[in-house]
C-alpha cells in the first residue's frame, strides 16, 4: 500500500497547528506528513514588539521546528518553495 502524502507549506502558526493535529489523528502507516519552510524555526510573531522595546532579543522569539514536531509523524524539509506542481 502506498502512503498518502500531505504536504504543508509554511511552518507558521497554521502550518504547525495543522501538521501536529493531523499527526495525532492520522495513521502513520498510511499517511506521511511533510512540513516545508525556508526557516528551521518558528518565530513568535505575537511577541515581536518585545524586541523593539528591548525586553527580548530576536533569538529568544525563535523556537526550533524540530522541538515542535519531535516524536510526531512529521517530516520537516527546510527549503524555499519556487513552484507548486500538483
Amino acid at each position: 500500500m502506498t502512503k498518502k502524502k500531505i504536504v504543508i507549506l509554511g511552518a507558521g502558526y497554521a502550518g504547525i497547528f495543522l501538521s501536529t493535529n493531523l499527526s495525532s489523528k492520522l495513521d502513520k502507516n498510511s499517511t506521511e506528513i511533510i512540513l516545508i519552510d525556508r526557516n528551521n524555526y518558528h518565530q513568535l510573531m505575537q511577541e515581536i514588539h518585545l524586541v523593539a522595546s528591548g525586553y527580548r532579543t530576536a533569538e529568544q522569539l525563535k523556537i526550533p521546528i524540530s522541538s515542535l514536531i519531535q516524536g510526531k509523524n512529521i517530516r520537516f524539509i527546510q527549503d524555499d518553495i519556487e513552484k507548486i506542481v500538483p
Side-chain angles (χ1 to χ4, degrees):
M1 180 170 90
T2 304
K3 282 187 175 185
K4 292 181 182 178
K5 294 184 181 185
I6 298 173
V7 179
I8 300 169
L9 306 179
Y13 290 104
I16 293 291
F17 180 81
L18 178 61
S19 62
T20 55
N21 251 337
L22 287 175
S23 175
S24 67
K25 292 178 177 17
L26 299 175
D27 176 29
K28 68 179 180 181
N29 296 317
S30 62
T31 308
E32 180 181 12
I33 301 168
I34 303 165
L35 178 62
I36 304 173
D37 196 279
R38 72 172 49 133
N39 301 308
N40 64 351
Y41 59 86
H42 171 76
Q43 190 158 20
L44 299 173
M45 294 304 293
Q46 80 277 13
E47 295 186 16
I48 201 76
H49 66 282
L50 297 174
V51 175
S53 62
Y55 286 103
R56 297 271 192 272
T57 66
E59 286 302 311
Q60 290 175 315
L61 302 185
K62 295 178 182 177
I63 302 172
I65 291 173
S66 60
S67 69
L68 296 171
I69 64 172
Q70 184 176 2
K72 298 182 177 13
N73 178 34
I74 301 169
R75 181 164 61 110
F76 175 68
I77 299 173
Q78 182 180 355
D79 208 347
D80 285 324
I81 307 301
E82 294 180 8
K83 180 168 54 168
I84 299 172
V85 181

